[in-house]
Amino acid sequence: QVQLVESGGGLVQAGGSLRLSCAVSGSAFSVYAMAWFRQAPGKEREFVRSISWSGSSAYYADSVKDRFTISRDNAKNTVYLQINSLKPEDTAVYYCAASISTSGFYDYWGQGTQVTVSS
């Protein structure tokens, strides 16, 4: 089993930056890929970025590719989401997810961390 815990969210002014963290524990060796999703109030959950756990492959949604950067630190079993030039539209709950296969489905999810961007 894999456990995920997000942190780093909060209230920030538009134009600012945040770095979200996702700590991975449990059977971390079985993780194939990690991803970040977000869900704004009244909207569907949206894929943001993903990265392979053991390799260097990374995937992203076109809408956020210029301002969002995903990275990982295997020694710390942690993945990060750097968000720059925050906009009010970025306000959402951000979720970390882990996949243990190449199916494209994510098997484990964190509780989420709230990001609120004010004007």
Side-chain angles (χ1 to χ4, degrees), residues 4-7 20-24 34 36 77-80 96-97:
L4 307 175
V5 180
E6 302 98 333
S7 62
L20 308 182
S21 299
C22 176
V24 184
M34 301 291 299
W36 286 95
N77 287 334
T78 302
V79 296
Y80 305 94
C96 179

Side-chain angles (χ1 to χ4, degrees), residues 23-112:
V24 184
S25 62
S27 301
F29 67 90
S30 66
V31 173
Y32 175 78
M34 301 291 299
W36 286 95
F37 292 78
R38 68 181 182 182
Q39 186 168 22
K43 296 185 178 181
E44 296 182 350
R45 185 167 296 181
E46 174 190 18
F47 170 80
V48 178
R49 297 189 80 87
S50 67
I51 189 170
S52 62
W53 191 245
S54 60
S56 60
S57 298
Y59 305 90
Y60 55 85
D62 289 341
S63 62
V64 300
K65 69 175 184 179
D66 294 329
R67 299 186 296 110
F68 288 58
T69 302
I70 191 170
S71 62
R72 57 176 168 82
D73 186 337
N74 292 81
K76 297 181 179 180
N77 287 334
T78 302
V79 296
Y80 305 94
L81 183 68
Q82 177 71 36
I83 314 175
N84 298 322
S85 301
L86 281 157
K87 302 176 180 179
E89 306 90 91
D90 296 321
T91 295
V93 176
Y94 284 73
Y95 296 93
C96 179
S99 174
I100 60 174
S101 72
T102 59
S103 68
F105 296 100
Y106 287 87
D107 308 281
Y108 301 96
W109 295 80
Q111 297 289 338

Side-chain angles (χ1 to χ4, degrees), residues 10-18 84-88 90 116-119:
L11 175 64
V12 64
Q13 292 283 339
S17 300
L18 283 175
N84 298 322
S85 301
L86 281 157
K87 302 176 180 179
D90 296 321
T116 303
V117 184
S118 64
S119 300

